């Protein structure tokens, strides 16, 4: 509440009565114009969003890579309109990822070694590592049931439990770290975003603590980090730098059999709407806290596995399409920034009159 003593001394500039009326009239007209412009902008934006949703639905309805190309061509023909606002780009990204893990993004090559043989080779290698005491034996996972299969995949693909295509799936230390001013790099969930390994903003722990933390869980180049505690649960990135560090419990560490499973493909699956759905479904404690993604349930994720050669084609095509999305988003942002600057200049000119 403002007291009258503060209001009464305020000096107000007062134009002649006839000018007051002209000011009110002009303000009414200008504000009405602003309302009309805003209304038309909202209508245009809603129209673009509806068209985009229809285009994405057609894209997701693709039964194979040929249909994907047909729908994609239609989108390209109307690209300037469909993707003229930044809000449409995230949905395009998600559609690309979903099609990638369903086998609809690239053509299948009958000369590719089928994924079923990959799984057999992984099984043999895993048994040998266990026999040589280089890998711990893990409990057998249940067979995949029909209820767990959410979509159809090409004939050359296979379904597999995540643990059965990885050397191991573990997490970081459960002990609360004692941070130091210098020492060994220590990372947590804040250092991982979808497709982005971001170790720069890190903390330090002592050499002694580091050696304890990396016992049985030392991250290596092209392993995968998966956030399992915090605001962005289920976000995954490949360790794409040769860097020594330890991790906190908020991160899961996955090491696929890299001879047979491309870690970059697996990260596509984990960050896709399908992978994200698995993470959300298996997150405990939501509502009470930010929740945590159960490690045992991560091992049971049912993953669609393409032939190795196709995994690499998928990764390559996703990289190209995501680069396109990044470029488009940057241009739209630049355009919006330019518009805002133009409006600012125009506003100053109006105020200067």
């Amino acid at each position: 509440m403002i007291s009258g003593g503060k209001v009464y001394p305020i000096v107000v500039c007062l134009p002649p009565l006839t000018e007051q009326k002209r000011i009110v009239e002009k303000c009414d007209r200008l504000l009405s114009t602003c309302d009309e412009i805003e209304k038309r902008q909202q209508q245009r934006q809603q129209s673009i969003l509806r068209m985009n949703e229809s285009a994405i639905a057609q894209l997701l309805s693709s039964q194979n890579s040929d249909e994907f190309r047909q729908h994609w061509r239609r989108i390209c023909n109307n690209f300037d309109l469909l993707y003229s606002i930044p809000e449409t780009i995230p949905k395009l990204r998600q559609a690309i990822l979903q099609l990638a893990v369903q086998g609809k993004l690239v053509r299948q090559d009958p000369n590719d070694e089928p994924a079923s043989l990959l799984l057999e080779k992984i099984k043999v290698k895993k048994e040998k590592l266990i026999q040589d005491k280089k890998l711990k034996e893990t409990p057998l996972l249940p067979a995949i049931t029909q209820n767990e299969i959410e979509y159809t995949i090409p004939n050359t693909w296979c379904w597999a439990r995540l643990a059965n295509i990885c050397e191991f799936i573990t997490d970081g230390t459960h002990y609360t770290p004692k941070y130091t001013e210098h020492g060994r790099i220590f990372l947590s969930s804040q250092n991982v975003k979808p497709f982005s390994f971001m170790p720069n903003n890190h903390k330090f722990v002592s050499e002694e603590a580091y050696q304890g933390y990396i016992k049985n869980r030392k991250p290596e180049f092209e392993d995968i980090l998966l956030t399992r505690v915090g605001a962005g649960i289920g976000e995954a990135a490949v360790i794409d730098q040769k860097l020594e560090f330890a991790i906190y419990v908020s991160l899961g560490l996955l090491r696929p059999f890299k001879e047979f499973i491309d870690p970059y493909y697996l990260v596509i699956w984990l960050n896709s709407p399908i992978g994200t759905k698995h993470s959300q479904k298996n997150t405990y404690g939501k509502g009470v806290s930010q929740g945590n993604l159960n490690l045992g349930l991560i091992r049971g994720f049912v993953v669609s596995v393409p032939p190795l050669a196709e995994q690499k084609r998928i990764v390559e095509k996703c990289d190209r399409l995501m680069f396109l999305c990044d470029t488009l988003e940057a241009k739209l942002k630049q355009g919006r920034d330019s518009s805002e600057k133009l409006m600012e200049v125009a506003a100053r000119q109006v105020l200067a009159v």
Side-chain angles (χ1 to χ4, degrees), residues 23-40:
I23 289 170
V24 170
E25 184 185 352
K26 188 154 190 178
C27 277
D28 285 345
R29 287 203 312 272
L30 290 172
L31 290 175
S32 177
T33 302
C34 288
D35 290 342
E36 183 62 27
I37 291 171
E38 187 175 29
K39 181 182 175 182
R40 288 183 183 182

Side-chain angles (χ1 to χ4, degrees), residues 344-353:
E344 187 179 340
V345 170
R348 286 176 180 171
Q349 289 175 344
V350 169
L351 290 172
V353 173

Side-chain angles (χ1 to χ4, degrees), residues 122-137:
I122 290 172
K123 185 178 178 183
V124 170
K125 180 161 186 181
K126 199 166 192 175
E127 287 172 354
K128 182 72 166 61
L129 288 171
I130 292 170
Q131 187 181 342
D132 294 342
K133 310 291 185 186
K134 293 179 180 178
L135 205 61
K136 288 183 179 179
E137 191 165 4

